[in-house]
Amino acid sequence: MINVRPMVIEDIDGVAFVHSEAFKRQFASRKWIACNFHAYPRILMYVATDEMNKITGFIQWIQKSGFRKEVVIELEQLAVLPECQGKKMGTELINRSLKLVDEYVRSQDSVIKSIMVTTRADNFAQELYRKTLGAEIVSTIKNFYSADEVIMVASMRQTA
């Protein structure tokens, strides 16, 4: 059973561990996670926990280009512990946290207009973003970070 909830300050070390396990080319995971956590509400962070309340994954959403009535959010990072991959945790993190992000945005009298995702061109998670968000590749940036990077965008259909 997976629980998805907003991240709290006590989660920083656990999330930093997941980050360090998932993003081997990056360093200073605790510093990265702590500064992003403190960027609320621009950055909205959520954790996945198992039945023992161990943090097994996290996701961070960023409001782009200021606070607006029609919000563009970026799924900036998604990570799951290697031993938890392939068990639909990424799907659950996206779906459940996006509902919470949408509730937050609506509480600010705004709506989500679009979702942006950037990822390596060779990242198998592109299929996850297509299935869960309906995101499609709109651009490729050659030799950006450690390889080519793709920008994927999903338009949100708002209902009354």
Side-chain angles (χ1 to χ4, degrees):
M1 184 64 165
I2 299 167
N3 181 43
V4 176
R5 61 170 172 76
M7 183 177 163
V8 295
I9 197 165
E10 294 82 9
D11 295 330
I12 290 174
D13 287 336
V15 172
F17 177 75
V18 173
H19 181 273
S20 70
E21 291 294 303
F23 300 107
K24 296 293 187 182
R25 287 181 291 273
Q26 297 177 24
F27 62 94
S29 291
R30 190 180 194 293
K31 185 176 184 179
W32 173 255
I33 295 303
C35 74
N36 286 340
F37 175 79
H38 290 293
Y40 177 87
R42 180 172 187 258
I43 301 178
L44 305 167
M45 298 183 72
Y46 301 89
V47 296
T49 59
D50 63 14
E51 57 279 346
M52 302 297 291
N53 207 31
K54 175 186 173 190
I55 295 172
T56 54
F58 76 93
I59 190 168
Q60 61 185 31
W61 299 92
I62 297 179
Q63 295 187 69
K64 303 294 282 182
S65 196
F67 300 122
R68 299 171 176 250
K69 288 294 182 184
E70 292 186 313
V71 177
V72 174
I73 58 171
E74 179 180 2
L75 190 169
E76 206 270 339
Q77 262 184 341
L78 168 69
V80 174
L81 287 174
E83 63 268 22
C84 298
Q85 293 175 4
K87 299 177 181 175
K88 304 287 185 194
M89 189 174 297
T91 298
E92 291 297 317
L93 263 168
I94 291 171
N95 289 336
R96 293 187 198 181
S97 68
L98 184 55
K99 286 179 183 174
L100 297 171
V101 170
D102 185 57
E103 288 172 10
Y104 172 78
V105 167
R106 287 179 183 274
S107 77
Q108 303 302 301
D109 295 321
S110 297
V111 295
I112 299 172
K113 178 182 180 182
S114 301
I115 298 172
M116 181 174 89
V117 181
T118 61
T119 190
R120 283 175 53 118
D122 61 356
N123 188 348
F124 65 89
Q126 286 181 45
E127 188 59 28
L128 172 66
Y129 305 139
R130 278 189 193 92
K131 286 181 179 177
T132 57
L133 301 171
E136 294 296 334
I137 295 172
V138 296
S139 185
T140 301
I141 304 171
K142 298 290 183 189
N143 198 28
F144 199 51
Y145 294 109
S146 56
D148 291 353
E149 191 84 359
V150 296
I151 299 172
M152 303 177 77
V153 174
S155 294
M156 301 302 291
R157 291 174 291 292
Q158 299 298 327
T159 58

